[in-house]
Amino acid sequence: MTTIKPAPPGHLPFDATFRATFRDLVLWRRDVRRFRSDPVPEKLLDDLIELATYAPSVGLSQPWRFVKVKSRRRRRVVWESFAAANARALEGYDGSRRATYAGLKLAGLKEAPIHLAIFSDESTLIGSGLGRQTMPETLRYSVVAAVQTLWLAARAEGLGMGWVSILDPAAVTQALDVPAGWTLVAYLDMGWPAEEHLDPELERHHWEARHYSGDLVFER
Amino acid sequence: MTTIKPAPPGHLPFDATFRATFRDLVLWRRDVRRFRSDPVPEKLLDDLIELATYAPSVGLSQPWRFVKVKSRRRRRVVWESFAAANARALEGYDGSRRATYAGLKLAGLKEAPIHLAIFSDESTLIGSGLGRQTMPETLRYSVVAAVQTLWLAARAEGLGMGWVSILDPAAVTQALDVPAGWTLVAYLDMGWPAEEHLDPELERHHWEARHYSGDLVFER
């Protein structure tokens, strides 16, 4: 059911203008937690998901499984899991750090029109196990590559996405009633962002700063 | 040392032309194992690495550590680890599947001018643990998001990249003499591709096919 028509070879316009705009896309991608509540067309979401399946996967295993979470009851379970995990995390910080943490907005689960859970099917036979005998985690890593592809593609459409990792993955997996052998890789909320920023929310609110200065690169 | 100058807000040209070209970029990204041997400018690699550090990371932990593997001795250890793991993997297949596997080219380690190992620093204090109490694997997932960003950015420059997962990560980590607490996430080879293809190598050589038909999307 592929709707994507690629450009023919020899006509790939990955020129300097495109590359500069791609850099801007990477720089302007944000983990969004402040959403407007107006809906996102289902077709747009489906197109983004399809594009994400062109991410690399180990042995062409394509282990990604996308679950649109629409049930209010299930969403509430997820939100409660977030709230409980977030309260426990807060207890781990002291003093001013605790106050800063308490002031952070770490998820947009209540406002976001879209909840999307992405699993790795650890039982898949697709790819016949190629490439993942010694590093089986590459199956889940393939799903992460799809998540980042989705994130960039969404941003190019003006759509915001946030990755909510402060939750109990076992509780969320159970609430979503998925086949045995599926591992939760990412729980995402998506929607139109209420704000646009170049700096990450955690930097703007004084939790952490960017550290790049070439000291992350080594030679051996 | 940031060299990247983002476009100002309100001037982001993520228009229909850009989005269509971005789709082509995703579709034309390949796991490349057939490289030309001519060198890649170090500056280009450094710029790509810097852009990759704008990937999302849990709690803004920025756990990615990039190791350029230049030593012939260390590269040989990696190649030998690949050869041994690949021979063991071959033994796991029978009949025609085994013959197909034996005919696949699964790495370009000998030809590729660049070897790049990317680790996750599991001991980092950056981000103060935010977001990864319940899903600690998100630290490594952040590194994968950087890998996929690097992959797309490299492709936009015409540069090929391959992810070699058929190796013993412990042996490779030891050979690279990195700090304790670093986990190998990806061993990459990079260089100018000898061929351009829209279809994955594993599809072209009859190992596996793409399976997308909307049956990877579910509702709950």
Side-chain angles (χ1 to χ4, degrees):
Chain A
M1 308 305 142
T2 293
T3 56
I4 294 177
K5 300 274 183 292
H11 291 79
L12 299 175
F14 305 142
D15 58 10
T17 300
F18 171 77
R19 291 196 300 271
T21 309
F22 175 72
R23 276 198 299 277
D24 280 332
L25 179 66
V26 172
L27 268 58
W28 281 92
R29 180 212 53 76
R30 289 277 71 77
D31 194 314
V32 172
R33 299 102 187 253
R34 300 170 197 275
F35 297 100
R36 290 160 25 205
S37 59
D38 42 320
V40 174
E42 196 82 13
K43 172 76 164 64
L44 175 57
L45 176 61
D46 289 338
D47 287 351
L48 292 171
I49 290 173
E50 186 187 358
L51 185 61
T53 68
Y54 286 83
S57 64
V58 62
L60 212 53
S61 54
Q62 307 157 72
W64 33 68
R65 306 291 181 264
F66 301 85
V67 177
K68 298 174 179 174
V69 183
K70 300 195 166 180
S71 143
R72 288 172 59 96
R73 181 180 62 78
R74 297 190 208 268
R75 286 189 176 202
R76 193 170 57 237
V77 173
V78 173
W79 193 86
E80 286 167 357
S81 183
F82 163 75
N86 202 36
R88 273 195 303 278
L90 176 65
E91 287 169 17
Y93 298 105
D94 291 318
S96 69
R97 205 71 176 143
R98 187 171 190 157
T100 303
Y101 188 94
L104 295 171
K105 179 164 173 55
L106 294 171
L109 292 167
K110 285 200 166 171
E111 313 89 303
I114 297 171
H115 284 209
L116 186 65
I118 311 189
F119 291 83
S120 169
D121 180 357
E122 308 280 312
S123 69
T124 188
L125 300 176
I126 300 174
S128 305
L130 185 145
R132 56 186 164 100
Q133 304 299 316
T134 55
M135 298 186 75
E137 65 271 31
T138 49
L139 204 67
R140 294 180 290 283
Y141 291 176
S142 306
V143 176
V144 176
V147 171
Q148 173 66 350
T149 306
L150 179 67
W151 215 330
L152 292 170
R155 181 63 188 83
E157 297 282 354
L159 203 58
M161 185 173 122
W163 183 326
V164 184
S165 59
I166 304 173
L167 43 71
D168 174 1
V172 169
T173 300
Q174 186 178 24
L176 297 184
D177 191 24
V178 297
W182 286 20
T183 296
L184 180 69
V185 172
Y187 197 93
L188 310 172
D189 40 18
M190 300 176 76
W192 305 109
E195 307 167 359
E196 295 278 11
H197 295 282
L198 181 59
D199 52 339
E201 175 116 3
L202 292 180
E203 189 168 31
R204 198 160 57 255
H205 293 276
H206 312 297
W207 182 262
E208 189 53 83
R210 293 196 76 252
H211 283 274
Y212 189 75
S213 57
D215 56 355
L216 305 176
V217 185
F218 305 82
E219 285 192 16
R220 286 290 187 276
Chain B
M1 305 302 148
T2 294
T3 57
I4 294 177
K5 300 273 181 293
H11 292 80
L12 299 174
F14 306 143
D15 58 10
T17 300
F18 171 77
R19 292 196 299 269
T21 309
F22 175 72
R23 276 198 299 277
D24 280 333
L25 179 67
V26 172
L27 267 58
W28 281 93
R29 180 212 52 78
R30 289 278 72 75
D31 194 313
V32 173
R33 299 103 187 256
R34 300 170 197 273
F35 297 100
R36 291 160 26 204
S37 59
D38 41 322
V40 174
E42 196 81 13
K43 171 75 163 68
L44 174 58
L45 176 61
D46 289 338
D47 287 350
L48 292 170
I49 290 174
E50 186 186 358
L51 186 61
T53 68
Y54 285 83
S57 63
V58 61
L60 211 53
S61 54
Q62 307 157 73
W64 31 69
R65 305 291 179 263
F66 301 85
V67 177
K68 298 173 179 176
V69 183
K70 298 194 168 181
S71 142
R72 287 170 61 96
R73 180 179 62 78
R74 298 190 208 267
R75 285 190 177 203
R76 195 170 57 240
V77 172
V78 173
W79 192 86
E80 286 167 357
S81 183
F82 163 74
N86 202 37
R88 272 195 304 278
L90 176 64
E91 287 169 18
Y93 298 105
D94 292 317
S96 68
R97 204 71 176 144
R98 186 170 191 156
T100 303
Y101 188 94
L104 295 172
K105 180 165 173 56
L106 294 171
L109 291 168
K110 286 201 165 170
E111 313 89 305
I114 297 171
H115 283 208
L116 185 66
I118 312 190
F119 291 83
S120 170
D121 180 357
E122 307 280 311
S123 68
T124 189
L125 300 177
I126 300 175
S128 306
L130 185 147
R132 55 186 166 100
Q133 304 300 316
T134 55
M135 298 185 75
E137 64 271 32
T138 49
L139 203 67
R140 295 180 289 284
Y141 291 175
S142 305
V143 175
V144 176
V147 171
Q148 173 66 351
T149 306
L150 178 66
W151 215 330
L152 293 170
R155 180 64 188 84
E157 298 282 354
L159 202 58
M161 185 173 122
W163 182 327
V164 184
S165 59
I166 304 173
L167 44 69
D168 174 0
V172 170
T173 300
Q174 186 177 24
L176 298 185
D177 190 23
V178 296
W182 286 21
T183 296
L184 180 69
V185 172
Y187 197 92
L188 309 172
D189 40 18
M190 300 175 75
W192 305 109
E195 307 168 357
E196 295 278 9
H197 295 283
L198 181 59
D199 53 339
E201 175 116 2
L202 292 179
E203 189 168 31
R204 198 160 56 257
H205 294 274
H206 312 295
W207 182 261
E208 189 52 82
R210 292 196 78 252
H211 282 275
Y212 190 77
S213 58
D215 55 356
L216 305 175
V217 185
F218 305 82
E219 284 192 17
R220 287 291 187 275

